[in-house]
Amino acid sequence: MTSWKEHAIWWHVYPLGFTAAEAVALPPGAPTRHRLRALEGWLDYAVELGCSGLQLGPIFASETHGYDTVDHFRLDPRLGDDADFDRLVAAADARGLRVVLDGVFNHVGRGHPLFGDPAHAHWFVPEGEGHRTFEGHHGLVTLNHEHPDVLDHVVGVLDHWLARGASGWRLDAAYAMPAAFWRRALARVRPRHPEAWFGGEVIHGDYAAYVAESGLDSVTQYELWKALWSSLNDGNFFELAWALKRHDELLETFTPLTFAGNHDVTRLASRLDDERHLGHALAVLFTVAGLPSVYYGDEQGFRGVKEDRPGGDDAVRPAFPGRPEELDPAGWPLYRLHQRLIGLRRRHPWLARARTSLPHLTNTAVALETAGPGRVLTLLNVGDEPYRFPLDETGLAVAEASVPGGDPCLVPAHGWKILTLS
């Protein structure tokens, strides 16, 4: 029997931004805001997009942006309470959507009640005259992952929310944590939740080795993310070819979490130098192996530039309107393109683990052939002239294209096509 997590397609939402929550924690005694309920009105939108799961950013009590947790067992009062969480999970489940949570376990906020408590000094790592922090951020204090009390705490948090209905976890800053910590944690959690999915945020380094050593199901594929946009901007498909070779090697051991945007990076529509190339990036994302994730707003062509400063993430974590009907009409054609490409992928579920070869490659034109029980050819052209690919088109038909119709192997200037066996 095929597990759900082998074919997940995520709609990724940053709830504090999506719901226009306050920038800082509510003062003590302030009434709980029930903003998480706003997401219920968008579940049909995610289903119609073609997604099978809702990947949430941080929802637990924190000091500011959610990654400075102060209570892993309580929803942030800016978003709601346990009843709001239960409602969302039930509403998602009724639509066949899985819910994955963002677990911040490398560090906690400086306001965490155990930080500064002498009885819990062993939870934190001394450094110099103070304590180790995450990448120099004073407000993020690193946990001591070598101590069994910290392991017990993390196992308890994972188990608690999986028992309440979550289907898995995205583990923030996994790259900063010992892989052996996750192996110990999952050895205790998986027997109780064998169908749960665990994916780690890993930016650089040896992805396959981290998965093997940690026991995680997947990690983020930042190498492919970077190649998606920079190969298009530079007119250098050799970079994409190299990234896909690396990607294929990863598939020998796990299925990477693939994406064209997330809460930590500049939006794809802002990153690309030529807006005509949005479809090129999406055609690759949805026709090569992986567990694709669509970051909320990217499917509508939202723009936003991440800046390296306090508040520099705000532009890529915006509020959404109350209802889909309130979105700018200009974004719906891109939404419908996402629908068609995700629909193609769901009609060819074998793509999730399929290998991709490159039967034709130049700086500005590339053919990607993804093969399994079927055959999918993705043709990209970023040149200023139409390009005819010298390929055998026997049995192939155009499934999707930037411009419909015509010779299957002839791609217009700055165009793309996806061919499948007819």
Side-chain angles (χ1 to χ4, degrees), residues 49-60:
L49 185 62
C51 296
S52 59
L54 181 64
Q55 183 185 150
L56 295 178
I59 61 172
F60 306 120

Side-chain angles (χ1 to χ4, degrees), residues 120 287 386:
H120 294 88
T287 60

